[in-house]
Amino acid sequence: MLRVAELKFGQLPPGRRFRWKNQVWLKTGPVLACPEGGEKPALVPRSAMVEVLDGPEPANQANSPAESLSRVMEELRNELLSRLETLPLPPEHGKELARQVDLLVDQAAGRLRSTFDG
């Protein structure tokens, strides 16, 4: 019997199809997805568990340390943003904290990448 791959929505890369709430969707952004059939895009919580439809999630298939780093940093970003969504914050504070998380993860990734280049 084929096992269904389930992930948190935030871990799913854009462009992948998934099943959520008994409907097929296409992830179009970090928190946006379009239902199959061309309906209006909807917000999907990063923490929502979804069934991956386009095959199993690749496991450790990066070709270089830099690609592995990028994948790990993106997973870190998604996990931090997912946890941030659970905090009881006013929307403007949540958006600012999300912006800061993005900035800090990008800065850390840049510093780590420089170790591979130099």
Side-chain angles (χ1 to χ4, degrees):
M1 183 171 169
L2 183 62
R3 195 171 152 202
V4 174
E6 281 196 357
L7 293 174
K8 287 184 180 180
F9 180 74
Q11 296 172 307
L12 189 68
R16 298 289 299 267
R17 292 175 53 244
F18 63 96
R19 184 177 317 281
W20 180 58
K21 293 188 173 182
N22 296 321
Q23 189 170 2
V24 176
W25 299 77
L26 175 69
K27 183 170 182 175
T28 58
V31 293
L32 283 178
C34 290
E36 203 168 64
E39 297 172 32
K40 188 167 122 177
L43 291 173
V44 179
R46 286 183 174 94
S47 59
M49 292 304 292
V50 300
E51 175 187 340
V52 181
L53 297 179
D54 293 336
E57 196 58 19
N60 300 325
Q61 291 183 348
N63 295 327
S64 71
E67 288 173 347
S68 293
L69 171 67
S70 293
R71 183 176 38 78
V72 168
M73 294 306 286
E74 190 59 30
E75 289 172 6
L76 173 63
R77 177 190 325 272
N78 289 335
E79 185 63 29
L80 290 170
L81 292 173
S82 176
R83 289 177 185 217
L84 184 63
E85 286 178 346
T86 66
L87 297 176
L89 298 171
E92 62 276 4
H93 292 151
K95 287 179 184 177
E96 177 58 23
L97 281 173
R99 189 189 67 72
Q100 290 178 22
V101 164
D102 279 336
L103 179 63
L104 291 169
V105 170
D106 287 342
Q107 289 173 348
R111 287 193 302 270
L112 288 168
R113 265 189 222 97
S114 70
T115 65
F116 293 117
D117 297 337

